[in-house]
Amino acid sequence: MRLRGYVGRMRWGTRTFLTQALVVAVGVITAALVAMVVGPPLFHEHLQQLGHLDGTAEMGHVEQAFLEAGVRSLGIGLVVALTLAIGLAWLETRRLRRPLEQLTAASALVEAGDYKARVPDTATSPEFNAVADAFNDMASRLDSTETSRRRLLSDVAHELRTPLATLTAELEAVIDDVVPWDHDSQQLLTLQAARLKKIAADLDDVSRAEEGRFTLDTHTQPVWDLIEPAVASVATRYEAKGVTLSADSDPGSVAADPQRVGQILGNLLDNALRHTSAGGIVHISARESRDEVVITVTDTGDGLTPDQIAKVFDRFYRADTARARDAGGSGIGLTIARSLALAHGGSLTAASPGPGHGSIFTLHLPTAPAPERVLIDS
């Protein structure tokens, strides 16, 4: 038990070296014993076949000479072999120990919360390189997740700050009789409460979207049956702002969840309305192309720069921060829309000729049901 405990406390390199040395030593001793046991009888048999008689002085001298020569040569050879084998085992152990120590050190840093830790590339072996690459990929994902978590907490705090501050200020003003409790105060509080409710709903949606927990009720239906309700739901707001909204569609069908596609189109139309001034035009159209339906939402609004296009689907990203926040956008509608498109087995992309020249959002949906990839809806 004491020996086992002592061995268990040894470092990996020491244990590996001692194990290899023990294997080599056992092999050498075994070879020597086999040679000592098997060699002399065989040599004696060959002498008899050559006509030498047992018990003669000549035969005894020859056998003694063979035994001594064999023991010396075998002993020297085995010592040399044992020395070389132990040396090679020590070198190999030392070569393997360094990447393992690097991996251990990097693992300790990751465990302590330092997700920037990486295992450097080594030329030890393909297996060690594969382990190092897997560890680095894991650390990168953890670092990305931690960065997203911190950004999400910061963004959520920022999003909640404005409506909460408005609610608090208005309530304090009403309580202190600075402003009367009238229709305007009630409308303001209702509006801010609705904004908080929308932010909470959007956060839940984006969380479930990124975790793949959307449940889709997918079936084939005319694409116009998806576009028409989305247009009707925003028509009043478009008219109130003075933005022209038009729509057309090929007579094709699409495999989709009408509620979720309505959510995608609603977010796209809301986004277009926020960034299109009075007198502008927003047009939604659908075209069938091979095994998919392509729905585009085109506006004559603010437009996007290449850098904005690259970030437009990021959570809480706003091309025009002040205008989007004043308009009540949560900043994650497009994130949710793209996640829903991916859940359908399609895609959602953005393009723009440039600032001031409008934007084009393109939704691709399959005409056949997407492979089953949806998990559990919480």
Side-chain angles (χ1 to χ4, degrees), residues 152 200-217 257 260 263 315 336 339-340 342-344 372-378:
L152 176 60
D202 285 349
L203 287 172
D204 180 62
D205 277 346
V206 77
S207 175
R208 289 190 290 123
E210 292 183 349
E211 295 174 11
R213 294 188 289 117
F214 274 127
T215 297
L216 301 181
D217 181 16
D257 181 332
R260 295 303 189 182
Q263 190 174 359
R315 291 178 302 184
I336 297 170
S339 297
L340 286 171
L342 294 174
H344 278 83
E372 187 62 33
R373 63 182 293 273
V374 183
L375 303 179
I376 300 172
D377 192 5
S378 59

Side-chain angles (χ1 to χ4, degrees), residues 54-342:
D54 292 339
T56 62
E58 181 182 4
M59 185 125 175
H61 178 73
V62 171
E63 288 183 331
Q64 183 65 29
F66 168 79
L67 182 61
E68 290 180 359
V71 169
R72 287 185 181 182
S73 59
L74 182 61
I76 294 173
L78 292 179
V79 168
V80 173
L82 181 60
T83 302
L84 291 175
I86 291 177
L88 291 174
W90 180 79
L91 291 175
E92 181 67 9
T93 300
R94 184 179 180 183
R95 187 177 70 93
L96 296 178
R97 184 179 64 208
R98 183 177 180 182
L100 285 176
E101 289 177 345
Q102 291 173 337
L103 179 61
T104 301
S107 300
L109 291 175
V110 170
E111 183 182 7
D114 180 9
Y115 301 119
K116 299 292 184 182
R118 297 292 185 271
V119 179
D121 292 335
T122 62
T124 305
S125 68
E127 292 78 12
F128 271 103
N129 290 336
V131 172
D133 290 341
F135 178 89
N136 290 339
D137 289 342
M138 178 197 69
S140 296
R141 288 194 296 271
L142 288 174
D143 185 36
S144 176
T145 300
E146 178 64 14
T147 300
S148 298
R149 183 187 67 83
R150 292 176 179 175
R151 186 182 64 183
L152 176 60
L153 290 175
S154 176
D155 289 338
V156 169
H158 186 76
E159 290 300 317
L160 296 178
R161 187 178 297 119
T162 300
L164 286 175
T166 304
L167 283 170
T168 302
E170 186 69 14
L171 285 172
E172 289 177 352
V174 171
I175 293 173
D176 296 338
D177 293 327
V178 176
V179 297
W181 175 252
D182 54 15
H183 178 72
D184 291 341
S185 297
Q186 183 179 351
Q187 285 292 99
L188 178 60
L189 295 179
T190 302
L191 177 63
Q192 296 305 319
R195 183 174 177 183
L196 287 173
K197 183 178 179 181
K198 186 179 188 307
I199 291 174
D202 285 349
L203 287 172
D204 180 62
D205 277 346
V206 77
S207 175
R208 289 190 290 123
E210 292 183 349
E211 295 174 11
R213 294 188 289 117
F214 274 127
T215 297
L216 301 181
D217 181 16
T218 304
H219 53 275
T220 302
Q221 56 199 307
V223 67
W224 180 250
D225 289 353
L226 300 174
I227 293 178
E228 185 179 26
V231 171
S233 67
V234 299
T236 302
R237 289 189 285 123
Y238 269 75
E239 184 178 354
K241 189 174 180 180
V243 176
T244 301
L245 176 61
S246 60
D248 66 79
S249 171
D250 284 348
S253 297
V254 65
D257 181 332
Q259 180 182 355
R260 295 303 189 182
V261 172
Q263 190 174 359
I264 296 173
L265 297 179
N267 282 331
L268 293 179
L269 292 174
D270 285 343
N271 179 75
L273 180 61
R274 279 196 299 271
H275 295 282
T276 303
S277 302
I281 298 173
V282 175
H283 182 71
I284 179 170
S285 64
R287 298 289 179 265
E288 191 168 9
S289 174
R290 295 184 180 179
D291 57 350
E292 66 177 6
V293 168
V294 181
I295 302 174
T296 58
V297 176
T298 306
D299 64 67
T300 60
D302 300 333
L304 297 167
T305 65
D307 182 63
Q308 290 171 337
I309 291 174
K311 299 177 181 178
V312 73
F313 294 108
D314 290 352
R315 291 178 302 184
F316 299 106
Y317 178 76
R318 293 184 175 90
D320 186 340
T321 305
R323 177 178 298 180
R325 183 167 288 115
D326 292 341
S330 66
I332 53 179
L334 293 179
T335 306
I336 297 170
R338 184 179 64 172
S339 297
L340 286 171
L342 294 174

